[in-house]
C-alpha cells in the first residue's frame, strides 16, 4: 500500500496531465511505491497566493479521516467524503472544470487515498493496476472530481442530504455523471427521490431507469415538464467568500452548502412520478436477462 | 436514419442573437457592440469587453418558428418555446421561456443569463419548440438545427475550433514540465480543454520569424515552418482524439462532444474516404484497438494532416523562392 | 354647377372648331359683329336670352354654353392624324427611342416614378401617389375599347407595318402585338396614374410639359438630360412598353390651360414609316381633335373630353386632384419572359392555366421594382412624410384579379427602410448594441472649387446609416448611396471585412438627402448630379464634371468612399486586440472551421451500400415495424451489411434493440441478421420488426435510429 508522500505541498496548484505523466509510474499504478513529492512540486503551476481556498491541510485531514473511518468499506467513503470535499474546497463550476486542480490533488496531495479507494481490493489480483484516469482522467472518473461533481449535481441548494443518497448507489453516480440528464436539477432530485422510495435499487434497475429517461429524453424536454428556479450567482459567491473564516467541516453531521434556491418541490414530485411511470411501463422490465 | 413516432414540424427554428450586455460587480450594465456576436458564425464572444470581472451576461434572443407551428389545426397544443443553454464542461443547463411577439406570431423573443462562474469556454445555445401532442406533454416538435456558441472568453466571434498557441521560454518557464523540452522549438499538449501548442522562445529569432510580416524568402520560410508545425499538431491531435474514445455496450465508438469530436469530423474524411463519419470512426477505432491495420493507416493520417497544414503549397512557394534567389545570385 | 372657362375664350375656340367666323355668328344671331367681338375680348357677356340662340347656332344645348366645361361637339370629330411622309422620301423607321430596348415593366416603373417625383406638387408637402393598373380586356370589353380608339381606321396602318415585319424589329414587335390581340382575343392595358403632380400643363405646341411629352419626343432625346423638362429619355419607355406603340393620355392640370384643368386628353402612336393606300406616312400619329388653325385642319391637338369619352377610353381618373394618367395599350413585358428555366416556353404553349399568368407576373414584377428602386422615396418618419406612394392592381374586364397592393418599402428593403426611418425620427445611435438599431456617422465630402482651381469649396457632411441586415434583404453588406431624389444611385460593397461579420446594410445620404441642416447641401447636390452618368448608377468621372470642375474632381468621390468604408468597418468590425494578433498565422492554420452546411462532407460516390429511405410505424404489440430501402453502389461485389436498430438518447450510449423478424423484400437476402445483396442490384428493400421486450421505454416515447454497418455489425 502506498504511503502518503513525504513531501506534501502546502497549497493546491495546477498540474497538467502531460506534466503529471512521468509520475504515473508503473509502481504507483500497481500500488507498490509512491513518489516523494519533491520533483513533482517543480512542475506544478501555482494558484494565487492570497486565496485561502487553496490550503491543502483541511483537505488532507479529510482524506485521512475518510480512510480511517471507512477502512472496512471503502465505497461507503464516497457518500461521506463527497459533501465534505465540496464544502471544504469551495469552487465555482468554472474552476472545478479545470482538471489540473484535481490532478494535483490526486497525485501530489493524496495519491495514497486514490490507491486506497481505487486500488485492487485485498481479494483481487495483486497485479491489477489502478486506472490512471483516477489520477488525471475525465471529471466523472477522476477520484476527487467525481465526488465534487456528484455533490454539486445532487445537492439541493444548501442541503447535501440528496448527495449522500445518490452516492450510496455506485451505479447511479457512475452512470448519471456521464449523462447530461442530471444537468437539469429537478431530474437529479427526482432520481434521488426514486432511490429513496425504493422503486429501483439494484444496479440493473438503476441502469434501466437511466436508459429509459435518456431514451425518452430524445423527444421529451424535461425542462418543460418540471421547471427550475433561475440560477443566481450571489449565494455561491458569498459562500466562497466565507471560506476563509469557515471552520473545518463537521465530521458527524452534514455541512451546509451555498444558500441557493432549492429545486421547486412540485417539480421534483411531479417529475419523480413521471419517471417512475416511464420505468414501470418499460417493456424490458420483467424480461429474463439474456445469457 | 431516424424516425419519430409523432408529427413534427419538418423545418428547423432559426435563432438569432440580438444583443449582449455584461453585468458588472457594481451592478451596472455594459452593453456590448453588436460586433461582439456574429450571425454567420453563430457565435457570441463575451471576451470582447476585455475584462474578467463581469458577473453575468444577458443575451437577447429572437427565434423564428417554421410555418405551421401556430396553425389552429396543428395536431399539438400548449406550444412553448424554450431556449436552452448547455455547457458540457461545467454540466450547466439553463432554460428560459421565450415570449411570443404577438398572438399567432412565428416570432418569439427573450433573454438568457450566462453566469461567468458557470462556464470555462463555450456554452451551446439551442431553442426547442415544445408542445403536447397525442396526450404526451413536453414533446419537442422542432428545434434549431444549428446551435449558437456563447464563448465566455473569446475576443472574436468565430465559430469552429481554434487550438491554443502560447509562447514561453521552455528553460525559464514557471511551467517546469517544459524544461526537459528546452531544446525543442515547439511542443504540443493535448491533455487540456483544447490542445495547446507551446512555442519555445529560447530558440532565438524563432518567435520573431513566426510573427514576422516581412516579404521575400523570409516569408516563404515562415510559411514552410508554419506548415511543418501545423502538420505536427494535426497528427498529434488526431491521435489524441482517437485515444480515449468511449464505446457503446455493443463496442461502437461514440463521437466525443468536445474538441476531439470536431477534430475527428474534420480529418476522418481524408483518413477514411468515402464513408460516413460514424462508419469511418468505427473502422479507425477497430484498426487501432484490433490486431491489424493501424500502422498502414498512418500514411493516411499524415496525409490528412499535411492537407490541413497546406504543406504542399508552402513547399512549392519555398522552392520557387529558392530558385529565384539562385537565379539572381548567378546573374 | 361650377362654371368652367370664361365665356370669351371658350366662344372663340368653339367658333374655331365649328369653322365659323365672328361675322357669321353675328349674322345668325341678328347682332352686330362688334357685339360678338366684345364677348370674345371679354368686354361684355351676352344676355341670358341670347345664350339659347348661341347654343342653337353652335349646335349644342343651353347647359353646355352655361357651364363651359367641355367643347361643343360641333366641328370636326376626334380622329387620328398621321404625320405624312417626308417630301424627300426619308424613312426614319419609327421612333428609335421607343423601340431601342426590350419592353420591361421594371424599367417603366423606374422611369415613370422618377418623372412623377420630379412633377410632385411640393407646396402641400404631400407625397405624389402613383398607381399602376394592369387591365386585361377580352370579348365585349375589348370590342368596346377598340371602337373607342377608332381601331378600324388604324388597322390599315398596322397591316402595313406587319408586312414589313420581316426586315424590321419594330415591325416584328407590332406584328406580335396585333396577333396577340386577335389570336388570343385579349389586350392588356397598363395604366400609370399620378396624383398630386403638376399634370401636363402648357400649350399644345409651345414649350411646356405637355409639348415635351406629346410632341417633342426625338428632340428631347437628342438634347440629353438638361433639356426637355423632367420628361427626358424616360418617357420613351411608355411607348416601348406598348406592343402597339400606343399611349393614351388624360391629364388634370395644376395650372389651368384655356381656363380648364380636367380631362385634357390626347393619344399618341409610334409606328415606323409605312405606305397606306399609296401614301407614305412618316411614323407618329396623334388621336385628338383637328385643329382648325392648322392647314386643312388636319393636325390634331388635345381636347377637353367629357366624362363619357374618358370612360370609354379607360382614362377616368379617381378624383380632380392634378396629375396625369398614361394608358399603355397592348402592354407587354419582354423581360419577364426571360426564362429561369429553359422549358418555360413549352409551359406557355401547353397549359395557359387561367390565362392570367402574364398579368399576374407583370403585377409582381412591378411591385418588386417599385420596392427595390423607390424604397427611400416611399419612406417617411417623424414629421417627414414620404415623397412617394405607389400601388399596383390588376383587373380583367373590370373584375379584380389582384386587389390594389400598396407597395411597402419595408417589404423590399426592411433594414434600409428602418435605417432611413430612424434618421427621420432621430432615433439613431452612436454604436450598435442591439439588433435593429441604426448607427449614424457623418462622412465628409470635400467639394472642390469650380473651374479647375485648386482647393476646397467646403466640406459637405454626408450621413451614413448602418444597421443589421434582415433575412429578407437580398444583397447584404452593401452601401446604397442616395442624393436629393432618393434614388439609389450607387451600390457598393465594403471590401476587406473579416470572417464572421454579421451581415449589415448601409445607406449613405448626400446632398439634400442629408437633411436641411447639412452644410453645402446644394453644392454637393450639384456636384453629384454632374458626376452621375445618364444611367444614374454611379458617381465618377463624367464630361460635365471635368468641364465644370477639373479632371481630378472625381478623386473627391473616391475619398468619400474610403471614408465610408472605414466608418462602416468601425461600426461592424470588432477591433483586434494585441493578444489576438499574436500567433495569428499559426492559429489560423490550426482552426477547424464550423461546417456551414449540415450535409456531411464526402468523397464522390460512396463505396458502401447506404440507407436511402425509411418507413416506420408502431405495431399493436408495441414493436417498431420498419421498411427500409438501401441504395447500392455500382460494384461487382457488394459487401454484406448488418441493419442495426437503436434508439436515440439525450446523451450517453444508445440502446440497441433486438430484431424479432428481419425479411428481405427485394434485391437482397437475410442471413443471420445480415443483409447479402443481389449482385449488380442498385436498390434493395427489407422489412423488420423489433422485439418489443427489448425496448427500454414505451415505444411511443422513443425515437428510432436505423443504421447499416459493414460486415456482421460488430
Amino acid at each position: 500500500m502506498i504511503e502518503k508522500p513525504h513531501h506534501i505541498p502546502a497549497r493546491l496548484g495546477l498540474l497538467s496531465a502531460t506534466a503529471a505523466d512521468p509520475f504515473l509510474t508503473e509502481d504507483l499504478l500497481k500500488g507498490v511505491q509512491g513518489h516523494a513529492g519533491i520533483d513533482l512540486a517543480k512542475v506544478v503551476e501555482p494558484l494565487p497566493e492570497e486565496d485561502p481556498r487553496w490550503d491543502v491541510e483541511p483537505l488532507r485531514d479529510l482524506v485521512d479521516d475518510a480512510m480511517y473511518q471507512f477502512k472496512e468499506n471503502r465505497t461507503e467513503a464516497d457518500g461521506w467524503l463527497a459533501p465534505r470535499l465540496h464544502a471544504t474546497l469551495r469552487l465555482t463550476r468554472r474552476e472545478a472544470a479545470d482538471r489540473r486542480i484535481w490532478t494535483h490533488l490526486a497525485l501530489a496531495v493524496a495519491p495514497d487515498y486514490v490507491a486506497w479507494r481505487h486500488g485492487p481490493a485485498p481479494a483481487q489480483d495483486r497485479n491489477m493496476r489502478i486506472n490512471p484516469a483516477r489520477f488525471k482522467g475525465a471529471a466523472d472518473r477522476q477520484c476527487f472530481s467525481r465526488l465534487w461533481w456528484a455533490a454539486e449535481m445532487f445537492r439541493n441548494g444548501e442541503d447535501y442530504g440528496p448527495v449522500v443518497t445518490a452516492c450510496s448507489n455506485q451505479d447511479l453516480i457512475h452512470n448519471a455523471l456521464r449523462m447530461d440528464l442530471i444537468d437539469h436539477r429537478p431530474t437529479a432530485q427526482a432520481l434521488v427521490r426514486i432511490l429513496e422510495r425504493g422503486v429501483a435499487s439494484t444496479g440493473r434497475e438503476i441502469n434501466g431507469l437511466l436508459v429509459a429517461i435518456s431514451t425518452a429524453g430524445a423527444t421529451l424536454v424535461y425542462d418543460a415538464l418540471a421547471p427550475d428556479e433561475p440560477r443566481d450567482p450571489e449565494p455561491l459567491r458569498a459562500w466562497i467568500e466565507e471560506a476563509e473564516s469557515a471552520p473545518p467541516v463537521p465530521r458527524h453531521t452534514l455541512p451546509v452548502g451555498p444558500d441557493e434556491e432549492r429545486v421547486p418541490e412540485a417539480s421534483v414530485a411531479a417529475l419523480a412520478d413521471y419517471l417512475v411511470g416511464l420505468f414501470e411501463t418499460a417493456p424490458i422490465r420483467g424480461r429474463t436477462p439474456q445469457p | 436514419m431516424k424516425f419519430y413516432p409523432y408529427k413534427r414540424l419538418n423545418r428547423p427554428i432559426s435563432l438569432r442573437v440580438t444583443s449582449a450586455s455584461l453585468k458588472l460587480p457594481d451592478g451596472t450594465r455594459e452593453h456590448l457592440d453588436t460586433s461582439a456576436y456574429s450571425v454567420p458564425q453563430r457565435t457570441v464572444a463575451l471576451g470582447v469587453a476585455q475584462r474578467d470581472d463581469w458577473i453575468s451576461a444577458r443575451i437577447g434572443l429572437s427565434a423564428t418558428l417554421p410555418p405551421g407551428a401556430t396553425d389552429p389545426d396543428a395536431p399539438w397544443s400548449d406550444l412553448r418555446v424554450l431556449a436552452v443553454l448547455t455547457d458540457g464542461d461545467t454540466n450547466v443547463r439553463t432554460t428560459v421561456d421565450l415570449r411570443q411577439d404577438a398572438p399567432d406570431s412565428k416570432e418569439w423573443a427573450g433573454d438568457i443569463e450566462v453566469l461567468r462562474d458557470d462556464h470555462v469556454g463555450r456554452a451551446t445555445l439551442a431553442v426547442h419548440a415544445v408542445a403536447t401532442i397525442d396526450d404526451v406533454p413536453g414533446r419537442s416538435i422542432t428545434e434549431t438545427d444549428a446551435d449558437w456558441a456563447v464563448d465566455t472568453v473569446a475576443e472574436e466571434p468565430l465559430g469552429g475550433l481554434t487550438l491554443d498557441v502560447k509562447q514561453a521560454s521552455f528553460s525559464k518557464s514557471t511551467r517546469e514540465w517544459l524544461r526537459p523540452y528546452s531544446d525543442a522549438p515547439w511542443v504540443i499538449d493535448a491533455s487540456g480543454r483544447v490542445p495547446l501548442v507551446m512555442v519555445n522562445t529560447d530558440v532565438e529569432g524563432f518567435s520573431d520569424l513566426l510573427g514576422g510580416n516581412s516579404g521575400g524568402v523570409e516569408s516563404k520560410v515562415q510559411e514552410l515552418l508554419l506548415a511543418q508545425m501545423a502538420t505536427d499538431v494535426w497528427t498529434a491531435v488526431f491521435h489524441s482524439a482517437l485515444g480515449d474514445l468511449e464505446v457503446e455496450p455493443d463496442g461502437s465508438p461514440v463521437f466525443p462532444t468536445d474538441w476531439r469530436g470536431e477534430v475527428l469530423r474534420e480529418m476522418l474524411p481524408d483518413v477514411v474516404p468515402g464513408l460516413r463519419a460514424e462508419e469511418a470512426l468505427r473502422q479507425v477505432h477497430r484498426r487501432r484497438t484490433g490486431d491489424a491495420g493501424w500502422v498502414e493507416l498512418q500514411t493516411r493520417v499524415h496525409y490528412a494532416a499535411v492537407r490541413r497544414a497546406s504543406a504542399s503549397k508552402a513547399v512549392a512557394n519555398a522552392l520557387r523562392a529558392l530558385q529565384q534567389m539562385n537565379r539572381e545570385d548567378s546573374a | 354647377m361650377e362654371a368652367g372657362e370664361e365665356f370669351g375664350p371658350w366662344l372663340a375656340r368653339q367658333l374655331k372648331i365649328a369653322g365659323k367666323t365672328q361675322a357669321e355668328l353675328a349674322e345668325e344671331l341678328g347682332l352686330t359683329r362688334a357685339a360678338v367681338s366684345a364677348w370674345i375680348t371679354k368686354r361684355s357677356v351676352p344676355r341670358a336670352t341670347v345664350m339659347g340662340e348661341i347654343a342653337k347656332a353652335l349646335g349644342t344645348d343651353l347647359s353646355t354654353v352655361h357651364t363651359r366645361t367641355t367643347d361643343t361637339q360641333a366641328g370636326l370629330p376626334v380622329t387620328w392624324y398621321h404625320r405624312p411622309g417626308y417630301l424627300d422620301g426619308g424613312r426614319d423607321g419609327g421612333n428609335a427611342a421607343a423601340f431601342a430596348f426590350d419592353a420591361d415593366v421594371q424599367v417603366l416603373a423606374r422611369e415613370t416614378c422618377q418623372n412623377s417625383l420630379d412633377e410632385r406638387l411640393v407646396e402641400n408637402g404631400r407625397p405624389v401617389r402613383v398607381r399602376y393598373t394592369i387591365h386585361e380586356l377580352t370579348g365585349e370589353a375589348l370590342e368596346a375599347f377598340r371602337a373607342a380608339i377608332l381601331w378600324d381606321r388604324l388597322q390599315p396602318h398596322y397591316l402595313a407595318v406587319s408586312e414589313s415585319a420581316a426586315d424590321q424589329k419594330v415591325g416584328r414587335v407590332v406584328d406580335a402585338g396585333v396577333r396577340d390581340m386577335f389570336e388570343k382575343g385579349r389586350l392588356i392595358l397598363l395604366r400609370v396614374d399620378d396624383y398630386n403632380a403638376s399634370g401636363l400643363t402648357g400649350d399644345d405646341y409651345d414649350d411646356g410639359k405637355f409639348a415635351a411629352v406629346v410632341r417633342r419626343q426625338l428632340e428631347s432625346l437628342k438634347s440629353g438630360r438638361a433639356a426637355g423638362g423632367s420628361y427626358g429619355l424616360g418617357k420613351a419607355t411608355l411607348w416601348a412598353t406598348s406592343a402597339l406603340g400606343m399611349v393614351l393620355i388624360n391629364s388634370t392640370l395644376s395650372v389651368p390651360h384655356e381656363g380648364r384643368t380636367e380631362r385634357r386628353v390626347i393619344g399618341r402612336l409610334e409606328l415606323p414609316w409605312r405606305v397606306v393606300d399609296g401614301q407614305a406616312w412618316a411614323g407618329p400619329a396623334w388621336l385628338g381633335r383637328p385643329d382648325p388653325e392648322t392647314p386643312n385642319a388636319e393636325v390634331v391637338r388635345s381636347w377637353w373630353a367629357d366624362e363619357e369619352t374618358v370612360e370609354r377610353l379607360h382614362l377616368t381618373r379617381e378624383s380632380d386632384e392634378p396629375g396625369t394618367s398614361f394608358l399603355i395599350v397592348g402592354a407587354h413585358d419582354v423581360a419577364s419572359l426571360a426564362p429561369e428555366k429553359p422549358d418555360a416556353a413549352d409551359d406557355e404553349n401547353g397549359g395557359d392555366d387561367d390565362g392570367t399568368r402574364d398579368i399576374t407576373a407583370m403585377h409582381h414584377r412591378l411591385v418588386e421594382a417599385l420596392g427595390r428602386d423607390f424604397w427611400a422615396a416611399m419612406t417617411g418618419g417623424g414629421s417627414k412624410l414620404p415623397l412617394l406612394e405607389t400601388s399596383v392592381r390588376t383587373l380583367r374586364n373590370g373584375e379584380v384579379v389582384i386587389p390594389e397592393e400598396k407597395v411597402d418599402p419595408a417589404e423590399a428593403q426592411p433594414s434600409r427602410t428602418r435605417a432611413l426611418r430612424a434618421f427621420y425620427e432621430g432615433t439613431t445611435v452612436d454604436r450598435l448594441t442591439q439588433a435593429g438599431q441604426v448607427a449614424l456617422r457623418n462622412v465628409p465630402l470635400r467639394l472642390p472649387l469650380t473651374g479647375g482651381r485648386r482647393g476646397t469649396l467646403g466640406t459637405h457632411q454626408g450621413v451614413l446609416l448602418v444597421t443589421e441586415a434582415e433575412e429578407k434583404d437580398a444583397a447584404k453588406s452593401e452601401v446604397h448611396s442616395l442624393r436629393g431624389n432618393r434614388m439609389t444611385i450607387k451600390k457598393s460593397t465594403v471590401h476587406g471585412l473579416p470572417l464572421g461579420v454579421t451581415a449589415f446594410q448601409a445607406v449613405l445620404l448626400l446632398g439634400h438627402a442629408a437633411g436641411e441642416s447639412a452644410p453645402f447641401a446644394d453644392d454637393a447636390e450639384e456636384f453629384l448630379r454632374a458626376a452621375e452618368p445618364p444611367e444614374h448608377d454611379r458617381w465618377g468621372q463624367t464630361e460635365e464634371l471635368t468641364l465644370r470642375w477639373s479632371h481630378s474632381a472625381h478623386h473627391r468621390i473616391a475619398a468619400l468612399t474610403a471614408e465610408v468604408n472605414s466608418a462602416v468597418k468601425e461600426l461592424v468590425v470588432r477591433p483586434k486586440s494585441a493578444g489576438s494578433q499574436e500567433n495569428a498565422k499559426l492559429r489560423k492554420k490550426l482552426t477547424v472551421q464550423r461546417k456551414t452546411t449540415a450535409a456531411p462532407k464526402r468523397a464522390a460516390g460512396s463505396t458502401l451500400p447506404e440507407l436511402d429511405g425509411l418507413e416506420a410505424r408502431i405495431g399493436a404489440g408495441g414493436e417498431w415495424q420498419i421498411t427500409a430501402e438501401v441504395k447500392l453502389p455500382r460494384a461487382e461485389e457488394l459487401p454484406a451489411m448488418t441493419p442495426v436498430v437503436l434508439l436515440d438518447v439525450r446523451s450517453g450510449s444508445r440502446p440497441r434493440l433486438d430484431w424479432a423478424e428481419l425479411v428481405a423484400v427485394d434485391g437482397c437476402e437475410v442471413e443471420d441478421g445480415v443483409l447479402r445483396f443481389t449482385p449488380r442490384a442498385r436498390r434493395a428493400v427489407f422489412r423488420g420488426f423489433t422485439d418489443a421486450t427489448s425496448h427500454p421505454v414505451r415505444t411511443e416515447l422513443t425515437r428510432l435510429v436505423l443504421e447499416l454497418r459493414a460486415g456482421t455489425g460488430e
Side-chain angles (χ1 to χ4, degrees), chain C residues 221-237:
Chain C
L221 177 70
K222 278 179 196 149
S223 52
R225 196 186 64 234
S230 316
Y231 293 94
L233 171 68
K235 70 189 177 204
T237 60

Side-chain angles (χ1 to χ4, degrees), chain C residues 8-22:
Chain C
W10 180 83
L11 181 63
R13 195 169 64 253
Q14 306 315 312
L15 287 176
K16 208 182 285 173
I17 291 168
K20 278 190 174 132
T21 61
Q22 291 180 21

Side-chain angles (χ1 to χ4, degrees), chain C residues 7 39 45-55 62 65-66:
Chain C
F7 185 77
W39 297 337
V45 286
R47 278 172 292 122
T49 50
V50 183
M51 286 293 198
E53 299 292 316
I54 296 170
L62 189 60
V65 180
H66 272 295

Side-chain angles (χ1 to χ4, degrees), chain B residues 6 16 18 24 57 149 162 174 197 221 229 250 264 273 301 328:
Chain B
Y6 59 97
R16 278 171 86 103
T18 56
L24 304 179
T162 305
T174 48
V197 181
V221 173
M229 293 175 77
D250 67 355
L264 290 172
V301 174
E328 280 161 18

Side-chain angles (χ1 to χ4, degrees), chain C residues 231-250:
Chain C
Y231 293 94
L233 171 68
K235 70 189 177 204
T237 60
L238 287 164
W239 279 269
T241 311
S242 167
L244 301 177
M246 188 193 295
V247 176
L248 308 179
I249 303 164
N250 171 16

